[in-house]
Structure formats: C-alpha cells, structure tokens
Amino acid sequence: MKRFRRHGHDSQRDKLKQELYQFNKTVEHGFPHQPSALGYSPDLDLLAIGTRSGAIKLYGAPGVEFMGLHDENATVTQVHFLPHQLELVTLLDDNSLHMWTLRAHQGVSELLEVGRFTLTGPPGAPPSVTRVTTVLAHSSGELLLLGTEGGHVFVVEVPGFRELEERNISVEDVQARIPEEYAPRRNLECVEALQEKPLNPRQVLIGYGRGLMVLWDLDRQCAIQYFLGTQQLESVWWMEDGEHILSSHSDGSYCSWSTTDGDVQSQPEKQDTPYGSFPCKAISKVLQFPTKQGPPFLILSGGMPRASYGDRHCISVIHSKTHIALDFTSRIIDFFVIREGEQHTGDPSALVVLVEEELVVVDLQTEGWPVIQMPYLVPLHCSAITCSHHVSSIPLKLWERILAAGDLQNTHYSNKPWPINGGQNLAPEPPQRDLLLTGHEDGTVRFWDASGVCLYPMYKLSTAGVFHTDADPNDNLNQGAEGEWPPFRKVGCFDPYSDDPRLGIQKIHLCKYSGYLTVAGTAGQILVLELNDEMAEQVVSATVVDLLQGQDGFRWKGHARLDVQEEPVSFPPGFQPFALVQCQPPAVVTAIALHSEWKLVAFGTSHGFGIYDYQQKNVALARCTLNPSDQLAMEGPLSRVKSIKKSLRQSFRRIRRSRVSMRKHQTTNAAKLQEINARLEAEALQEMELAPVQRRIEARSSDDSFTGLVRTLYFADSFITDSAHNTPSLWAGTNGGAVFAYMLRLPPVERRMDDPVTAHQAKEIQLMHRAPVVGLVVLDGRGVPLPEPLEVAHDLARSPDMLASHHLLVISEEQFKLFTLPKVSTKTKLKLTAIDGSRVRRVGVALFGSSRVEDYGENSLVVLTNQGELHVISLPAIKMQVHHPCIRREDVSGIASCVFTKHGQGFYLISPSEFERFSLSARWLVEPRSLVELPDKSTLDPSKARLRDDGRGYDGRGVRGVSDNDNSARHVMEHALLNDEKVLQEIQKSLEGDGGQMGHGDNNIKIPQANILSNGD
C-alpha cells in the first residue's frame, strides 16, 4: 500500500531544518599561501597581504580580519593604502589596478572592490610604456603616481581612476637636462622608485633602474635636481629632514645624497658596503629612522657576500654598536617599521617582515630585539601537518594547565603587546573553549585555541625526545657563533625539514576530562601521555605488539621501527609520555581510540588491531586482519609507490610490445587490435591507485589490496551477547567491509591493578559490497549516540538509555546501515553511492541546536564525500537532511584533512598553511565581525595639503556619504581643496558653528573625522 505524507508535515520539517542547518564558510585560519605583497596603513593601523592567487587579506587588532578576492586569477604585486582614507589600491601582475574600500554596512565593515583601471598607452606604443613597476599613493589621498618599465610616470586621479595626461612625466622630459657626459642618460630603464619629499609633498623623487634619481616638482612640471648614480638602483629612502636621500644598489652598497648641494650631483656624500669588499648581493630595500636619544636605526635587506652567503634571506638591523643580520628560512617578500606616537613619527618600535612562509615581528625597543608572539597569521605548517583532531568544550582547569605549560615555552618572546591594533572586534565572546590539535611531520603536536576567529597557539608537544634521532641536542639554531661575521641570528619558526619522517604524527585522541592524550605515528608507535605541571625525568619503555600473530610467509619491506631512548629522558611541564606501544611490523597507525574510564587504548594498522591496558602496561588483545593475498600491506609506503610505478611500466611495455607485434604481422583486423589494446589499458588502470574521484562503484573483490587495513575503532558499553546485560566492547571496521566486535571483561575497581583485562570475540559482520568501513556509532534506546567516556560522570551528558534496544550504525564508503543489537539484524539503510556515485571520506556526529528555541537540538551525522560535498543525515532515522558543496572534488588533500566538531562546524586545509573553517549549524557560527573607522583628524598637516587645479595641482571630484551615530544622511567634506592653513581654520569654525554641515550645490566638503563609510548613503 502506498504511503502519502501530509503537506503540512513536510513544510513544518522544512522550517525546522532552516532553524537547525545553515551552511557558511566563515574564516580562514593560518598564514596565507604564497604571499606576494605587503602593505601597511599607519592611519588605520591595518596590515594587508596580497597573494599569488589574487587574494587580498587585511588584519588589525586580533579578531579584525577582512578578505577580498580579485576576479582575475593574477598575482598581487603591490598593495598601497590611500593616506587618511578607508581605501587601498592593489596592483596585479596583469598590470591592472584595483580600488578597494572598507564600507560599513549594518554596523560592520566590509571589504569591497569599487573600481579597476589599466593604463593605456598611445597607439603603436610597446607594452613596456604602460607596464607599471612602482606605485606612489600621494599624501593628498587623491593621486596615484605610476612608474613604468619604459621610464614614464603617469599621474592618475583617484578614486575615479582618471588619467591626468597633462600632468604625466615622460622620460624625454627627464632626459632633457641630464649632462651629456652621464653614460646611462640614453637608457634610464624602468622606474624603480617613487618617493614623496617629507616636508614638501609637491616634490617627488623618481629613481630609475640605471641609477639616476630625479627630484621632480609636480607644480612647475620640471626637474629640480639630478643625482647621477652609476650603480643599478634597487630602492630609495628620504631622511625625515627632507635634505638627505638614501639609495641602495645591486652591488650590495647604499649611498647617501644631499639635496642642498646643487642641481646636479655626480657623487654621493657617502657610500658604504656593509658586508665587505667581496662581491655582494643587492640591497633590495633600505630604511633609516632617527631616535630621540642616540644614533638612528638603519635597516636593510640583502647585501650578503655572494659567494659565502648568497643563499641566505637576511635583513640587517644596525643601531649604534649593535649589528644583527636576521636570518629567515624563506624568501623575504617585504618589510616595514612601526613607529611610536599618535602621528607615527616617534622612535621605531617594531620591525614587521613578511617572508614566503611566515610573518615575523621584531621588538626594536627591548634589548636583544626579541620576536613578538603572533596572535594570528601563525604558520600552521612550521612542519607539515599530517593530521588534526578537534575537542569541544574544554573544562577550564585543563585549559588553564595547557596555557600554563605553553607560557613556559614562550619565555624567548618579547613582553611587548601586539603592535597592530586597527579596527574594533565586534564578534561576541566564544560560548565555549575549543581546542584544535595538529600533528606534524617532525613528531610534534600543536595545541591551538580554536574558540574564536583567531587560531591562537597555546602549547607545543614534541615526541622526538623519546626516540633516538639524528638531531644534535646541542645545536642552537637561534644564535650565531661568537664573533661570526656576518652576525647571523635565526628568526621565525618555519622549519620544513624533519629529522626522521618516521616521527610523523598520524592519529591523535585527547580525553578532556582525564587529561590523557594518545598520539600515534608513522612507524607504528603509540604514545600515552598525561598532563603534569612539573618537570619529570623518566624512562619510557616500549611494549612490542606482534600484529601478524605468527602468520607465515610475510616479510616486511618497509621502514624499521624507531629506537627508544634507554636512558631517563627529561620532560618539561605539560604532556609527558608514560607508556609506549610499538606495533610489529612498524606500519603507519591508521586508527586509535582512547577510553580513559577503562584505562584502555585501541590501535590499528594495515595488519591488525590491538588493545593496550595503560594502567597495567600490558597488551589485552592483538588480532591480525591481514588477507593472505595482500602482499602490498607488507611493503610499506615507499615500496608501494615503487611497485605501482613498476606495474605501470610493465603494463605499458606490454601494450607497446603488442602494438609492435601487430605491425610485424600486418594485421588488418582493426577491431581486434582495438579490443586487445583496450583490454591491456584496462589492466594497467586496475594496477594503478586511483584518486578518490575516480573510484569504481562496483562491488569490491576480497582480493583487493589492503582489505585488512583497520579504518575505525570504537569503544562502547552496550548489549553484545544478550539484551539483558550490557558489557564493555570494542568494535573495529576494516578496509574490506568487515566489522569485528570484542567483548571486554574489566576487573572490579579493587582488583584493577591485579587481574588482567580480557577480550573475547563476540560478533563479526561482513558487508556484502565489501566497501571500507569508515565509521561506527552505537545508539542508545532513545536513538542518541553513546556519551564520551567520563562525560556522564562529570554531569555533562544524560546517562544512556539501557532499557530499550540499542542499535549499531555502520558507515561504509558507500552506505549507512543500521543494525539492531544484540542480534545484528538490518533495520534500515541509506545507499549514498547508489544516489549520486559519491564515496564517504569523513564522518562525524554533531549536535545541531535550534537558532529559535534555546533548549532544542538534534543529533545528526555529518558526512564529507569524495566529491567535496557535505551531507547531514538524521539519527536514528538515517534520512538525508541537507547537502552542500564545500570542497573542490580535485582537492584530494583538502578532503582528506577535514575534521568535524561536535557542534556542526569543521576545518579543512585549503593550502599547506591555511585551514578553512565552515559551519553547518544555524546556531553556532564563528566569523569575523569588525568595524574600521577613520581616525580623528581634527587638524590637517598643511605640508600634505591637497593640490589645486589652478596651475599648481589637481581637482578631486569623488564625493562619498557617511553615517553618523543617529543614522542621519549628512554630507561632509571628502576631497577638500586645501593648501592654506587659514582657509582650513575658517572652514572648521564654520562647520563647528552649524553642526558640521555646509553645502555648496553638488560640491560637498569633508573634514576627516571619526566617520564610517556607509553603503552608498
């Protein structure tokens, strides 16, 4: 009989779904991948980073973050903030300029692209004429000066991107007054630098590639002074007095020039090569800042001796008798200096350096110039991330102990606060404390505060000390040798090299109630650790577990196990190992489970699984799951890659041989030839390991490789043998579609240290389609997943219903199947692969709270497929609720790295250094909410006045609206034509007299003050 559903029920459920589920990609954590440009606004106190993929990211105070993406998939080569405004300009490597603004909408700022522009030259001109090499955002806020490869300087009015052709500076105009004897006069090359004169913004210094520098007057449209440098120019820098210029060159030297010594200077006042007379690399950028007391700071990048240290990435800081070469582990992109005072004219306080793999901020006011710890932009990939684990709602006591252990590791950082604090963070305080743990290739586990927008580093655990490695414990990478020249000092934490790849962390499990932590590695090692607030010295002995269980005919061809330290090892406060399990063969650990109430750890590899009692420190179970025909499981990862390549080569050789023999026999049967080739190519493809999006859908053969690999382990207190008695149990799922259930007998508490824990096999399920089992969940009598160990004991969850029957949910790559317990009969199933051909890659259980009703929520299954799609499936009904595309199907590493939280959020790697955070929950959402306002500028510096169009300057036409506190529409001055202090004072008095409003037709004037750009008011 056919069932009909009432329409009202469906619409009510759809409404409830909207209250429970809502998909959002919220924030990107970590360090931008492949950064290419750096910008800074002293007025807004914001940092900007552009990337090779066309992203632009802005950062201010912790929690203040913005992101934009250019439509063009081009590299951002330069970022420039417009002075005293909420706009910035980006230059891409396709020669396009883009205007961005921070516009306030409903009390929150948004980063929006509001214009784009590309220089167009005269007809027939070569591309170099308009190829932009350098950009100067004039202090007037309404002009951009664009230097090009052809040596021309174009003047463009902003925000409208209108080229002022009559104000352009052609290379012919510059060459007209150069002395004949100056050799490079006929080919000045590109414009390398444009710098505004500090005390007279109407004069601009133009630096050309061949070494010439020209001081140009924007009002009179002529050159005032020529500085005839002969070395290839890299950068220029104005001294604050406006009377001296520094230039840096390709031969590793820098020069000082005076602007008071005549119209044409052929020699600098001073020339210096910091690192000796041997050939040196170019000094790509030089800065100098005065100090109130004492000598200035000189900061330069590059300049190292080419033969000895040409491969170093260095920035040298010289102050008085202190000279340090900061040595970075990746290429320097750019740097700037933050200065003290409201006007940012005081002593240098911090050096901010962007390198390819991290951002480093050096405290220039504390002795020794230590590094300031980062509240964001921390490089997650200091060592490559190999796995991750999320723990929600951390108890306060555990949180504080982890923080305290982390503080002891951070004594080498500066005590100064983070120096970049623009904008206001309006995001609400996180409702709970969440941890994200990342395992790394070098054997470290890093603990991150994942509660809010900023992913903040809390603590780092290293497991390498337990084992013998090639690392030298006396090797101090942070300091150079005494008397070494150049005086190198290692800075930054990016270190991509691992002492031993076998140390790599593969699985992590933390019990937040007991403080026990389990980590498992690449060479079959499983460490059990506990949190200790004091330093301890102890020996960690290994318990070896033979997972082959005496099976004959197998020989392990992979890596050897790690050698354990036999002497006592000193462990700092924090998580300290007290037990070590070593699997034999030492294959990668593929699954772990920790039950801190029973004091048991379960572990699995490609050969089998076992249970370790870490209270008695002995093995309670070892089970081999190896298929006799599975030879690849014995070869290890490196051997496996070789065998795949070998089989491919053999297959394609057979194809070529068959084609040659066909030609020799001059076979005319084309159909037969095609059939043979197709068969051989199919044979080759069968031997190749296919990417997830290429997996076949038909039923698996029992002879498939790695069928015995353990994919998931699960502890449960449920009904195994009969429906009257619940017993502890372990469930294991394998790559071949098998599920093993073991009943555990635990001694009573008073005999726990004396009597052994025993395990007996109670059930075995073989799925007909033999798809890998990726998840196991036991549901209680109410259809709710069983609580975590100790969760009920801490009154943080209801006791499971033991009166009604329990159910086992088996999640394979292809379907979800619900079995009754203890009979293990099928109750219901959902075939995912049959619907859309997808395969399950990641699965988790989450509680979705209603956004409307505070105390209503539903437990659901969250699934990520090999197509990059997210599905939410109801429990216990096993029905599809919502699905959303999330990750590109080609991004195999991103899909493999995904981890879910207990409240419907998730993280996945969008690059080696960045996590994308997403949410499927309508109630719990972590996203940036920030507001950036213009700083209060009650007085303007007359030296940075805007330029008139009366023969001495230009007229700005852009008018913007602003929103004040009572949301009234009021126009204020945006592009003032001010160059007289008296005029400024009169306008200001009149504004104060009539409430700040003064209209003149369509030309409204704005005095910059603490106003917010609105959404077009």
Side-chain angles (χ1 to χ4, degrees):
M1 182 176 177
K2 196 172 182 181
R3 285 185 182 176
F4 294 92
R5 291 182 182 174
R6 285 180 294 178
H7 178 70
H9 176 77
D10 284 350
S11 61
Q12 186 177 357
R13 181 61 191 170
D14 290 340
K15 185 179 178 182
L16 185 58
K17 283 183 187 179
Q18 293 177 1
E19 296 171 4
L20 292 172
Y21 313 117
Q22 181 180 332
F23 177 69
N24 289 286
K25 290 186 178 181
T26 56
V27 66
E28 293 177 3
H29 296 299
F31 181 76
H33 184 50
Q34 296 181 328
S36 55
L38 177 68
Y40 176 66
S41 170
D43 303 312
L44 303 177
D45 203 8
L46 291 180
L47 167 83
I49 295 177
T51 72
R52 292 189 205 171
S53 60
I56 177 75
K57 299 187 177 186
L58 272 58
Y59 302 91
V64 176
E65 297 183 12
F66 302 93
M67 179 186 168
L69 188 64
H70 295 86
D71 293 337
E72 300 81 359
N73 187 20
T75 298
V76 180
T77 56
Q78 296 184 43
V79 180
H80 299 274
F81 284 89
L82 299 187
H84 318 302
Q85 297 187 42
L86 291 171
E87 279 83 21
L88 66 151
V89 173
T90 56
L91 173 67
L92 305 188
D93 67 353
D94 64 358
N95 206 41
S96 61
L97 288 157
H98 300 254
M99 177 73 72
W100 298 81
T101 186
L102 286 166
R103 182 173 294 168
H105 176 61
Q106 297 181 348
V108 178
S109 296
E110 300 172 343
L111 181 62
L112 302 173
E113 184 179 355
V114 292
R116 62 185 65 190
F117 171 75
T118 302
L119 272 179
T120 55
S128 62
V129 171
T130 55
R131 181 74 183 177
V132 179
T133 55
T134 185
V135 178
L136 170 62
H138 195 268
S139 61
S140 65
E142 63 181 22
L143 293 181
L144 290 179
L145 277 71
L146 310 176
T148 66
E149 276 185 6
H152 304 281
V153 177
F154 293 83
V155 181
V156 175
E157 185 183 67
V158 288
F161 280 132
R162 183 169 70 92
E163 183 184 343
L164 304 175
E165 295 183 14
E166 69 279 5
R167 301 300 178 187
N168 290 344
I169 306 168
S170 71
V171 68
E172 291 79 15
D173 293 339
V174 171
Q175 289 171 327
R177 290 181 54 196
I178 301 176
E180 290 287 340
E181 63 272 14
Y182 182 61
R185 68 183 299 274
R186 297 193 181 279
N187 182 16
L188 300 180
E189 293 189 359
C190 65
V191 177
E192 284 286 354
L194 287 168
Q195 289 282 339
E196 192 177 308
K197 191 173 182 179
L199 300 179
N200 186 355
R202 295 177 183 82
Q203 294 181 5
V204 173
L205 184 69
I206 308 171
Y208 293 91
R210 293 292 292 275
L212 175 71
M213 293 179 290
V214 177
L215 186 59
W216 187 268
D217 190 299
L218 294 173
D219 291 345
R220 293 184 290 168
Q221 286 293 293
C222 66
I224 302 172
Q225 278 182 295
Y226 288 87
F227 306 91
L228 308 181
T230 55
Q231 283 292 338
Q232 193 79 17
L233 184 70
E234 295 288 331
S235 73
V236 300
W237 177 256
W238 276 104
M239 307 293 280
E240 280 198 342
D241 56 9
E243 296 181 356
H244 291 86
I245 299 165
L246 287 181
S247 64
S248 68
H249 301 276
S250 62
D251 64 346
S253 67
Y254 69 92
C255 303
S256 176
W257 307 78
S258 172
T259 61
T260 59
D261 291 347
D263 293 348
V264 178
Q265 294 184 40
S266 58
Q267 294 292 330
E269 275 189 337
K270 175 189 173 185
Q271 181 170 351
D272 188 19
T273 305
Y275 293 106
S277 56
F278 293 105
C280 293
K281 296 198 73 175
I283 295 178
S284 58
K285 187 172 181 178
V286 62
L287 310 176
Q288 185 166 314
F289 298 95
T291 56
K292 293 177 183 176
Q293 300 173 348
F297 272 89
L298 178 67
I299 303 171
L300 49 93
S301 62
M304 287 290 129
R306 190 177 295 275
S308 306
Y309 304 106
D311 59 341
R312 299 287 187 104
H313 312 288
C314 293
I315 290 180
S316 300
V317 184
I318 304 167
H319 176 62
S320 185
K321 296 181 180 179
T322 306
H323 182 152
I324 290 179
L326 302 172
D327 189 8
F328 300 88
T329 55
S330 57
R331 185 174 63 89
I332 296 165
I333 305 297
D334 201 357
F335 64 94
F336 63 84
V337 170
I338 298 175
R339 303 177 67 179
E340 287 184 324
E342 292 185 2
Q343 303 296 324
H344 303 280
T345 56
D347 287 358
S349 62
L351 169 66
V352 181
V353 185
L354 176 67
V355 295
E356 272 192 332
E357 304 294 351
E358 60 187 321
L359 186 81
V360 179
V361 180
V362 180
D363 177 6
L364 296 178
Q365 295 189 330
T366 302
E367 186 177 355
W369 300 336
V371 172
I372 299 175
Q373 190 171 17
M374 313 276 295
Y376 48 74
L377 284 173
V378 183
L380 306 176
H381 65 317
C382 291
S383 173
I385 295 176
T386 49
C387 67
S388 52
H389 174 65
H390 187 274
V391 189
S392 302
S393 306
I394 303 293
L396 179 60
K397 186 175 181 180
L398 176 63
W399 187 266
E400 290 175 342
R401 293 177 71 190
I402 294 173
L403 272 177
D407 289 342
L408 296 175
Q409 298 176 335
N410 296 332
T411 54
H412 60 287
Y413 286 114
S414 167
N415 293 323
K416 286 288 182 69
W418 180 245
I420 300 171
N421 290 293
Q424 305 170 46
N425 179 15
L426 304 179
E429 284 295 315
Q432 59 194 29
R433 293 171 293 274
D434 288 354
L435 269 180
L436 180 67
L437 283 71
T438 54
H440 297 263
E441 191 180 42
D442 62 355
T444 57
V445 178
R446 296 169 195 260
F447 291 64
W448 308 87
D449 177 357
S451 312
V453 172
C454 294
L455 196 64
Y456 184 76
M458 295 175 63
Y459 167 72
K460 182 178 82 170
L461 163 70
S462 176
T463 62
V466 179
F467 307 99
H468 286 289
T469 62
D470 296 332
D472 182 1
N474 299 316
D475 184 20
N476 188 349
L477 296 176
N478 291 326
Q479 301 294 336
E482 190 70 28
E484 180 188 18
W485 186 261
F488 292 116
R489 191 182 99 194
K490 281 280 186 184
V491 285
C493 60
F494 177 71
D495 181 12
Y497 306 107
S498 172
D499 296 322
D500 193 329
R502 296 174 296 173
L503 291 169
I505 304 298
Q506 297 297 326
K507 296 292 175 184
I508 306 170
H509 194 114
L510 171 68
C511 175
K512 61 187 177 185
Y513 304 111
S514 63
Y516 284 110
L517 171 69
T518 305
V519 296
T522 303
Q525 72 273 26
I526 300 104
L527 282 166
V528 187
L529 308 97
E530 61 182 339
L531 193 55
N532 190 348
D533 299 328
E534 304 293 332
M535 181 178 287
E537 187 170 326
Q538 60 198 32
V539 176
V540 182
S541 57
T543 302
V544 180
V545 182
D546 180 16
L547 290 178
L548 292 181
Q549 292 293 291
Q551 290 213 25
D552 298 327
F554 292 101
R555 185 172 63 88
W556 172 248
K557 303 175 187 176
H559 47 241
R561 56 180 272 191
L562 284 161
D563 295 325
V564 182
Q565 297 271 15
E566 297 175 357
E567 301 80 17
V569 180
S570 179
F571 296 104
F575 283 95
Q576 298 171 351
F578 66 91
L580 169 62
V581 181
Q582 178 61 59
C583 297
Q584 281 292 103
V588 173
V589 178
T590 56
I592 60 169
L594 170 69
H595 201 294
S596 50
E597 190 173 355
W598 301 341
K599 302 292 192 295
L600 299 177
V601 172
F603 52 89
T605 72
S606 54
H607 306 119
F609 60 92
I611 301 175
Y612 179 73
D613 179 354
Y614 62 81
Q615 185 166 1
Q616 295 187 16
K617 295 190 177 180
N618 59 30
V619 178
L621 170 68
R623 165 69 189 263
C624 181
T625 57
L626 201 61
N627 189 318
S629 63
D630 191 358
Q631 288 296 327
L632 282 181
M634 302 306 298
E635 294 181 347
L638 295 178
S639 301
R640 189 178 175 206
V641 171
K642 291 176 184 175
S643 68
I644 292 169
K645 290 180 179 177
K646 183 179 178 183
S647 62
L648 277 172
R649 282 197 299 268
Q650 290 172 345
S651 299
F652 284 108
R653 279 171 186 162
R654 286 199 299 271
I655 294 172
R656 285 198 295 270
R657 282 199 299 267
S658 69
R659 288 172 175 168
V660 170
S661 63
M662 289 290 180
R663 283 198 295 269
K664 283 181 179 177
H665 289 88
Q666 298 181 349
T667 305
T668 57
N669 191 340
K672 187 176 180 181
L673 176 63
Q674 188 175 358
E675 180 185 342
I676 292 171
N677 284 339
R679 188 173 70 248
L680 288 166
E681 286 171 5
E683 184 181 324
L685 287 172
Q686 283 176 358
E687 292 177 14
M688 184 170 61
E689 185 182 25
L690 300 178
V693 293
Q694 300 168 307
R695 300 281 305 255
R696 302 179 188 278
I697 297 175
E698 64 264 14
R700 322 294 174 88
S701 165
S702 60
D703 296 332
D704 283 354
S705 297
F706 289 94
T707 55
L709 185 144
V710 178
R711 292 287 292 267
T712 182
L713 293 164
Y714 181 73
F715 283 112
D717 187 358
S718 186
F719 302 98
I720 304 297
T721 55
D722 59 69
S723 57
H725 304 91
N726 58 296
T727 57
S729 61
L730 172 71
W731 298 77
T734 72
N735 220 34
V739 178
F740 302 98
Y742 276 78
M743 185 174 62
L744 307 177
R745 297 194 183 277
L746 302 175
V749 176
E750 63 276 8
R751 303 282 302 168
R752 183 64 179 83
M753 285 300 294
D754 302 320
D755 297 345
V757 175
T758 58
H760 305 281
Q761 184 170 348
K763 305 285 182 187
E764 181 174 344
I765 307 169
Q766 177 62 61
L767 301 179
M768 294 297 292
H769 58 297
R770 299 184 181 277
V773 177
V774 296
L776 296 164
V777 181
V778 172
L779 308 177
D780 70 4
R782 293 187 296 266
V784 176
L786 295 183
E788 295 179 22
L790 297 174
E791 193 173 10
V792 174
H794 285 76
D795 296 327
L796 296 172
R798 292 172 62 184
S799 297
D801 184 350
M802 293 296 183
L803 299 176
S805 61
H806 286 196
H807 294 85
L808 170 70
L809 176 61
V810 178
I811 303 121
S812 74
E813 280 192 354
E814 298 177 3
Q815 69 177 15
F816 310 89
K817 204 165 189 177
L818 194 66
F819 296 91
T820 59
L821 289 178
K823 291 184 179 179
V824 193
S825 57
T826 304
K827 184 175 181 181
T828 184
K829 61 184 175 183
L830 174 64
K831 292 184 177 181
L832 182 69
T833 302
I835 297 170
D836 58 8
S838 298
R839 297 290 178 86
V840 176
R841 282 288 175 264
R842 286 286 180 269
V843 64
V845 175
L847 174 64
F848 289 89
S850 169
S851 58
R852 188 177 63 88
V853 182
E854 184 68 29
D855 57 352
Y856 181 79
E858 291 184 6
N859 284 291
S860 301
L861 208 61
V862 186
V863 174
L864 176 68
T865 72
N866 62 340
Q867 306 292 319
E869 293 183 337
L870 290 168
H871 298 261
V872 178
I873 296 165
S874 63
L875 293 176
I878 319 297
K879 291 182 179 178
M880 194 77 72
Q881 300 299 301
V882 294
H883 65 92
H884 299 277
C886 181
I887 309 174
R888 291 182 301 108
R889 56 184 291 179
E890 298 83 10
D891 187 4
V892 178
S893 60
I895 293 171
S897 66
C898 183
V899 59
F900 296 115
T901 76
K902 297 292 185 185
H903 294 95
Q905 298 185 55
F907 302 81
Y908 67 93
L909 288 171
I910 54 173
S911 75
S913 58
E914 293 170 289
F915 273 114
E916 175 86 68
R917 187 177 192 138
F918 63 85
S919 175
L920 283 161
S921 172
R923 179 192 291 184
W924 289 292
L925 192 67
V926 175
E927 62 178 350
R929 291 182 58 82
S930 314
L931 181 65
V932 177
E933 300 174 304
L934 282 170
D936 185 16
K937 297 283 184 183
S938 57
T939 60
L940 289 176
D941 185 353
S943 68
K944 296 184 178 180
R946 303 195 177 223
L947 307 177
R948 292 189 176 185
D949 197 23
D950 57 1
R952 294 180 294 170
Y954 320 110
D955 178 18
R957 301 289 182 187
V959 179
R960 297 176 181 80
V962 296
S963 303
D964 65 2
N965 292 334
D966 59 2
N967 293 322
S968 62
R970 121 184 192 216
H971 293 290
V972 292
M973 297 184 341
E974 174 66 15
H975 290 285
L977 313 176
L978 306 173
N979 69 342
D980 190 323
E981 194 169 7
K982 292 181 180 178
V983 175
L984 172 63
Q985 290 172 353
E986 288 177 10
I987 293 174
Q988 208 162 346
K989 287 178 183 177
S990 64
L991 283 173
E992 290 169 357
D994 64 4
Q997 295 187 3
M998 176 175 162
H1000 293 281
D1002 291 332
N1003 295 321
N1004 297 310
I1005 304 174
K1006 170 182 170 185
I1007 295 290
Q1009 51 188 326
N1011 290 314
I1012 310 161
L1013 289 186
S1014 72
N1015 233 347
D1017 290 337

